[in-house]
Amino acid sequence: SKLDGTDSMASLITRLRGSSIAAPLYRRAFFLNFSSDVTDKFKNKEAAEERMYFNKEDEKLLRGLLSKMKAQAECSDRTHIDKERSALLEIVGRYQVNNKDIERLLEWRHRSDF
């Protein structure tokens, strides 16, 4: 029979069984199949690791956003601001801290950039 480009690798190997070139073709077919499986596994592993990395990064960003939203919500409530200032003055009042430093301490408490 003729060997043309339309034969698949498996049918080609079947036709050549017993010939001197069959063994190298078997080895090549096995290697190509094995190589493809390994490549697919590495691609899947790489994709999974990439997803995990970006999920962690997203979580960090969302936590930062949540803390900023909480800080804004707390600061928008005037009674909360007054309670917070009173509580801070109870702690540092005996050290004669000036009002500018009190304000800076309150701002520092609500920051999330560290």
Side-chain angles (χ1 to χ4, degrees):
S1 69
K2 282 186 163 183
L3 295 179
D4 58 8
T6 61
D7 289 332
S8 69
M9 181 66 87
S11 67
L12 182 62
I13 291 172
T14 304
R15 286 182 172 177
L16 296 175
R17 193 168 303 199
S19 73
S20 62
I21 61 170
L25 287 176
Y26 280 122
R27 283 194 297 268
R28 179 162 172 77
F30 172 77
F31 175 76
L32 289 175
N33 190 32
F34 176 77
S35 175
S36 175
D37 288 345
V38 170
T39 303
D40 289 344
K41 287 178 184 178
F42 279 121
K43 284 181 184 177
N44 291 342
K45 182 178 186 275
E46 186 179 67
E49 289 174 349
E50 186 175 330
R51 279 192 307 273
M52 283 179 20
Y53 171 79
F54 283 110
N55 285 343
K56 286 179 184 179
E57 291 300 310
D58 288 346
E59 181 182 355
K60 288 178 192 175
L61 292 172
L62 288 172
R63 285 182 189 275
L65 182 61
L66 179 62
S67 68
K68 285 182 180 180
M69 289 173 60
K70 283 182 178 179
Q72 286 177 350
E74 288 174 353
C75 289
S76 66
D77 182 13
R78 189 69 195 158
T79 58
H80 178 77
I81 294 171
D82 293 339
K83 287 179 185 177
E84 190 175 42
R85 184 182 320 287
S86 319
L88 181 59
L89 286 172
E90 285 179 24
I91 297 169
V92 298
R94 64 180 170 196
Y95 301 109
Q96 299 173 350
V97 179
N98 65 31
N99 283 337
K100 183 180 177 183
D101 288 338
I102 295 291
E103 292 300 320
R104 290 180 61 211
L105 279 170
L106 289 171
E107 288 174 11
W108 171 81
R109 181 182 183 278
H110 292 286
R111 282 190 4 221
S112 63
D113 61 343
F114 50 86

